[in-house]
């Protein structure tokens, strides 16, 4: 299946007017030299930020606040974050992280109520699923930077025959309570296990075996979802495995090589590129405050229920699609086989540069979620009802934290580190999320009806020189030439 991505770009109009340094907005307070403002989180029991989704060493240690370990066994574990606030107006998603140990497996199983999506952050392995339409098993080898998904209800399994843990971050789509059904013996818990009292029927429907185990024994409380091969069985499997022969060429379940969200060297070094191929959505000119790379499936013009299809996109609803008029259908490039998956979704990588900003904007057709995989920063959104308490939700986020921006909520990011990038992996609840910069509303209104901006912002309003950029830089950074791929000495 040919897959396509959306290069969600902001309309970059030429010629920003003026410099706002000498004119502050009415009631504004400069952050110059002060650093991040204090956190302002939603009141308990709401979870503004879920922490500790994964560890630096890809271990199955205790997860953080808002994260729970759904299953753990000799072969690995899965952590989930099912209760994060912010999904109002959109389908809920459950953010996840898998660890599959060397010689470990994720046993054959299904999720009847969820699509499962993963991006590999460390290690590699083999993934497979029986497609629900063709009854053909698709097998893919995955490595650092790859994204893959399992269809809703499909039988699927994983295996790690490498020598280091396989670590992923992803999501169960469209549910905050993903189900799981084991399909094999699974210590008597799976489908095959429940048929052992009907041997003839089992042999006819499935087949027979010697019954000799090739996996290590489970300890009390461990899940059969994560078995691990014995040393002898693992050595034999490594010797027998032929990755090239096993690979299903062009399989829909894994993104083509040229559309990886991350390069392996980025994940290993902790330094992430901002070239057009790394982050196709960036800013008008260098130095830049960051960039993003979105991945989505090709949405058919006949997919009337998928946001972003030919029947649902209006001519004026171009969002971040770059055309000569600043709107229209998004240009496409090769990326994961994600067509119409879970009603239309997009994955995304953000890289917020040294002293970088993601300018205040909204997505009217999508909620957005992100998990920090490198660095730290401060992210904020204005709740969709004026008068809510707190009105502005501000969160300090670090590696392993996940946060959600509600659909239609104005939101922004700031990386106050001069020496470390803020990098996330996440997604949108629409295949083609639209984007509207708040700065453009005021800049263009000022050009047409300055009496409006004078009334609502203060007299003699001058638009920011960065009004056209989704990724500006802190004006207080030094030296002024830093940002983009160049570290700074200070952001204050």
């Amino acid at each position: 299946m040919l897959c396509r991505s959306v290069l969600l770009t902001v309309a970059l109009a030429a010629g920003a007017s003026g410099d706002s340094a000498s004119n502050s907005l009415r009631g504004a307070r400069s952050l110059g030299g002060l650093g991040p403002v204090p956190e302002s989180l939603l009141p308990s029991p709401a979870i503004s930020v879920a922490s500790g989704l994964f560890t630096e060493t890809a271990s199955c240690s205790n997860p953080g606040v808002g994260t729970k370990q759904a299953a753990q066994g000799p072969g690995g574990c899965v952590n989930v974050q099912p209760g994060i606030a912010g999904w109002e107006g959109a389908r809920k998603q459950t953010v996840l992280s898998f660890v599959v140990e060397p010689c470990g497996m994720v046993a054959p199983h299904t999720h009847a109520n969820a699509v499962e999506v993963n991006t590999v952050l460390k290690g590699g392995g083999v993934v497979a699923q029986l497609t629900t339409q063709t009854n053909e098993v698709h097998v893919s080898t995955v490595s650092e930077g790859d994204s893959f998904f399992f269809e809703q209800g499909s039988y699927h399994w994983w295996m790690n025959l490498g020598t280091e843990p396989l670590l992923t971050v992803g999501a169960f789509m469209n549910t905050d309570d993903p189900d799981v059904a084991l399909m094999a013996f699974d210590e008597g818990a799976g489908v095959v296990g429940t048929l052992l009292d009907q041997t003839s029927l089992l042999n006819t429907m499935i087949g027979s075996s010697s019954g000799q185990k090739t996996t290590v024994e489970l300890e009390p409380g461990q899940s059969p979802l994560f078995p691990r091969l014995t040393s002898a069985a693992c050595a034999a499997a490594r010797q027998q495995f032929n990755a090239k022969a096993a690979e299903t060429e062009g399989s829909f379940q894994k993104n083509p090589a040229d559309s990886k969200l991350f390069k392996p060297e980025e994940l290993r070094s902790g330094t992430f590129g901002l070239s057009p191929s790394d982050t196709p959505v960036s800013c008008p000119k260098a130095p830049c405050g960051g960039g993003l790379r979105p991945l989505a499936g090709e949405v058919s013009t006949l997919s009337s229920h998928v946001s972003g299809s030919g029947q649902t996109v209006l001519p004026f609803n171009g969002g971040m699609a770059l055309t000569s008029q600043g709107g229209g259908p998004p240009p496409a490039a090769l990326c994961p086989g994600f067509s119409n998956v879970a009603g239309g979704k997009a994955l995304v990588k953000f890289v917020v540069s040294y002293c970088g900003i993601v300018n205040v904007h909204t997505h009217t057709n999508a909620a957005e979620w992100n998990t920090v995989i490198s660095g730290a920063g401060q992210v904020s959104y204005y709740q969709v009802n004026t008068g809510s308490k707190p009105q502005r939700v501000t969160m300090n986020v670090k590696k392993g934290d996940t946060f959600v921006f509600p659909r239609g909520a104005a939101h922004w990011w700031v990386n106050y580190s001069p020496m470390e990038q803020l990098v996330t992996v996440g997604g949108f609840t629409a295949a083609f999320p639209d984007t509207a910069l708040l700065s453009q509303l005021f800049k263009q209104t000022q050009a047409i009806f300055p009496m409006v901006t004078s009334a609502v912002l203060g007299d003699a309003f001058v638009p920011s020189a960065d009004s056209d950029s989704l990724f500006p830089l802190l004006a207080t950074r030094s030296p002024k030439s830093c940002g983009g791929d160049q570290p700074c000495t200070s952001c204050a």
Side-chain angles (χ1 to χ4, degrees), residues 2-380:
L2 186 64
C3 308
R4 302 209 175 263
S5 82
V6 187
L7 303 187
L8 307 175
T9 26
V10 177
L12 305 176
S17 60
D19 187 341
S20 61
S22 61
N23 296 280
S24 296
L25 293 184
R26 186 170 60 194
R29 179 175 68 86
S30 171
L31 289 179
L34 298 180
V37 298
E39 279 193 319
S40 179
L41 304 179
L42 296 167
S44 181
I47 299 171
S48 302
V49 180
S51 63
L53 179 63
F54 62 92
T55 67
E56 188 81 35
T57 57
S59 69
C60 289
S61 59
N62 293 330
V65 176
T67 305
K68 69 176 184 179
Q69 195 160 89
Q72 186 269 334
C77 61
V78 56
N79 290 341
V80 294
Q81 296 174 324
I84 308 172
W87 298 113
E88 299 86 354
R91 299 285 295 274
K92 293 181 178 180
Q93 318 297 311
T94 299
V95 177
L96 62 82
S97 178
F98 276 87
V99 173
V100 185
E101 302 287 358
C103 303
M105 297 177 64
V106 184
H109 64 283
T110 66
H111 307 292
N113 68 344
V115 172
E116 179 188 329
V117 183
N118 285 273
T119 296
V120 180
L121 301 186
K122 182 177 181 180
V126 182
V127 302
Q129 69 181 305
L130 182 74
T131 58
T132 56
Q133 293 292 336
T134 64
N135 268 327
E136 295 178 353
V137 172
H138 278 231
V139 178
S140 299
T141 55
V142 296
S143 58
E144 291 160 340
D146 282 334
S147 297
F148 61 94
F149 78 96
F150 300 122
E151 295 176 326
Q152 183 170 339
S154 71
Y155 306 130
H156 59 279
W157 54 262
W158 317 23
M159 179 171 57
N160 177 8
L161 294 178
T163 57
E164 66 175 340
L166 164 60
L167 172 67
T168 72
V169 168
F172 292 112
M173 300 289 188
N174 292 349
T175 180
D176 62 353
D177 188 21
D179 54 25
V180 57
L182 293 166
M183 293 293 114
F185 169 62
D186 305 306
E187 305 299 323
V191 171
V192 171
T194 64
L195 284 167
L196 289 181
D197 59 347
Q198 301 180 68
T199 306
S200 177
L201 179 63
L202 176 62
N203 291 347
T204 299
M205 294 195 299
I206 302 296
S208 62
S209 77
S210 68
Q212 181 177 350
K213 291 187 65 174
T214 59
T215 58
V216 302
E217 293 293 334
L218 297 183
E219 296 180 2
Q222 289 188 322
S223 171
L225 180 62
F226 290 98
R228 189 177 80 240
L229 297 172
T230 63
S231 296
C234 187
R238 285 168 173 165
Q239 186 173 14
Q240 295 167 5
F241 179 63
N242 184 327
K244 188 174 182 180
E247 185 90 13
T248 302
E249 186 175 356
S251 175
F252 67 93
Q253 68 185 352
K254 169 189 167 184
N255 62 287
D258 61 354
S259 69
K260 286 190 175 192
L261 277 177
F262 301 96
K263 295 175 181 176
E265 55 268 28
E266 292 178 317
L267 294 166
R268 294 168 190 162
S269 69
T271 300
F272 297 82
L274 283 169
S275 70
S277 62
D278 296 317
T279 52
V281 182
S282 193
C283 63
K285 59 182 180 180
C288 191
L292 65 89
R293 180 180 183 86
L295 299 177
E298 184 177 33
V299 177
S300 167
T301 56
L302 300 179
S303 303
S304 58
H305 299 294
V306 178
S307 181
S309 70
Q311 292 188 9
T312 63
V313 170
L314 301 174
F316 54 82
N317 193 17
M320 286 195 285
L322 177 64
T323 69
S324 58
Q325 292 79 35
L334 290 173
C335 90
F338 217 45
S339 295
N340 303 336
V341 167
K345 298 289 185 290
L347 305 183
V348 67
K349 167 186 77 174
F350 274 89
V351 179
V352 187
S353 184
Y354 317 101
C355 305
I357 301 170
V358 182
N359 209 342
V360 58
H361 63 284
T362 57
H363 308 295
T364 63
N365 68 342
E368 174 189 341
W369 74 93
N370 286 276
T371 299
V372 181
I373 67 167
S374 185
Q378 192 168 79
V379 300
S380 303

Side-chain angles (χ1 to χ4, degrees), residues 419-459:
M419 299 297 294
E420 191 172 20
Q421 297 165 311
L422 168 59
V423 183
T424 69
V425 60
F428 297 96
T429 59
F432 302 125
D434 56 18
T435 295
L437 282 168
L438 182 58
S439 55
Q440 284 295 298
L441 169 68
F442 295 129
K443 177 183 176 180
Q444 295 181 42
T445 299
Q446 169 71 9
I448 305 168
F449 294 109
M451 68 287 293
V452 174
T453 52
S454 293
V456 299
L457 298 177
D459 198 20

